[in-house]
Amino acid sequence: MTPITSTLDLDALRSFVVGIECGSFAQAAARLHRSTSAVSVHVKKLEQQCQAQLVKKQGRHLVLTPSGERLMGYAKRLLAVNDEALMSLRGALLQGSVQLGLQEDFGESFIPPVLGQFAKAHGGVQVTAHIARNQVLTQATESGEMDLALIWCQQPPHNAFTPLKRLPLRWISTPDFPLSDYLQRGEPVPLVMFDSPCLFRKCATDALDAAGIAWRVAFVSQSLGGIWAAVNAGLGITVRSAIGVPDSLTSTLSAQLPALPSMGIGLIQRQPKPSEVVEQLKQLLLLELERQL
């Protein structure tokens, strides 16, 4: 058996994975806080180590070659083990607590596994998660009751803010919702919404008003679960992003209704320079959100 004399470079693997996730070296460089040339050099180094072409250009985007596809799974596993090891070693020294605020969209989807991973690696840290609306989360962070909050936003709030991404909004209903009937008869389109103030509600009503389409709020809920239940029951349509939408609902109404704007996602924090405990959780959240969104 021929001995393996080369060890894959983890920094090069990270540039490779992020480059494919972003679709370009330039976007990967921005995410990794490196120069575009440094990311490109990393990938070329990895190709030399593997003795195979791993990526190629397809139009303006990077895509995997067959060899790159084989490496990708290994690369993600190696990076995950590396990150877990570092987190565990650093976590052994961390002590303290973090108050984290979340919108329901995030608290019911991919954030709980992240908190479980953090708790496992940082046994000395107590994390308390709070599910609340945007206004409550922003006020609680500004007053010092919460250390971090993951929020929807159209404009950055006044306190320390890290913008992440903007997601397109969608009209959401049951597949058989009779929207055409309402539009043909000129009847107000029934909406299922949170009570005001709500960014999603404002986006929906502003778009309908601009298009000259009559509307009425048919169901008001205090929870996202209540909104999904009401839409599932056929009481009306709603507006959200694609995050956490139940499989029983659809967003095929867009051809009959006006276009919607995108919605920003960001992290607000209590202090411009948070404690090491808060910073560790923040970086883990940022990493996971970049992967998921």
Side-chain angles (χ1 to χ4, degrees), residues 174-229:
T174 55
D176 59 352
F177 184 79
L179 176 64
S180 297
D181 294 344
Y182 285 96
L183 296 177
Q184 289 173 3
R185 294 193 298 262
E187 295 182 12
V189 175
L191 303 179
V192 175
M193 295 288 165
F194 283 114
D195 56 351
S196 295
C198 172
L199 293 174
F200 292 89
R201 177 172 174 157
K202 187 175 189 304
C203 287
T205 57
D206 284 354
L208 293 172
D209 287 341
I213 297 175
W215 56 269
R216 67 183 180 88
V217 177
F219 189 95
V220 175
S221 176
Q222 297 296 320
S223 70
L224 186 57
I227 285 180
W228 296 142

Side-chain angles (χ1 to χ4, degrees), residues 45 50 77 96 114 161 174 178 193 221 238 257:
K45 176 181 178 181
C50 297
R77 282 154 52 193
V114 177
F161 178 74
T174 55
M193 295 288 165
S221 176
T238 194
L257 292 172

Side-chain angles (χ1 to χ4, degrees), residues 46-178:
L46 196 60
E47 289 181 327
Q48 291 172 354
Q49 288 184 311
C50 297
Q51 298 181 3
Q53 182 183 1
L54 302 174
V55 301
K56 62 181 180 181
K57 280 279 191 178
Q58 190 172 81
R60 296 183 178 181
H61 300 285
L62 291 176
V63 296
L64 292 171
T65 65
S67 295
E69 289 178 352
R70 286 195 295 272
L71 178 62
M72 181 59 71
Y74 292 109
K76 289 183 176 180
R77 282 154 52 193
L78 287 167
L79 290 171
V81 171
N82 173 81
D83 295 347
E84 184 180 343
L86 287 176
M87 188 183 299
S88 179
L89 290 169
R90 293 169 181 170
L93 303 176
L94 286 179
Q95 300 288 328
S97 62
V98 182
Q99 300 292 322
L100 173 68
L102 299 168
Q103 279 274 349
E104 280 187 274
D105 307 69
F106 312 116
E108 294 181 356
S109 53
F110 51 83
I111 294 302
V114 177
L115 298 182
Q117 179 185 354
F118 186 84
K120 181 179 178 181
H122 302 279
V125 178
Q126 294 182 345
V127 178
T128 303
H130 307 264
I131 302 294
R133 300 275 298 279
N134 257 25
Q135 188 174 26
V136 173
L137 295 176
T138 302
Q139 291 174 349
T141 307
E142 290 176 344
S143 67
E145 297 174 44
M146 291 187 191
D147 299 295
L148 285 173
L150 182 60
I151 65 167
W152 295 106
C153 60
Q154 288 291 59
Q155 298 294 330
H158 295 297
N159 52 356
F161 178 74
T162 303
L164 299 176
K165 195 171 184 178
R166 299 192 69 85
L167 297 180
L169 299 185
R170 305 177 175 190
W171 298 101
I172 297 170
S173 72
T174 55
D176 59 352
F177 184 79

Side-chain angles (χ1 to χ4, degrees), residues 6-37:
S6 180
T7 301
L8 294 174
D9 185 292
L10 288 174
D11 285 335
L13 285 172
R14 200 176 299 277
S15 292
F16 166 66
V17 171
V18 176
I20 292 299
E21 289 178 347
C22 293
S24 75
F25 289 145
Q27 292 184 37
R31 183 189 294 187
L32 295 170
H33 304 291
R34 298 180 181 275
S35 66
T36 303
S37 60

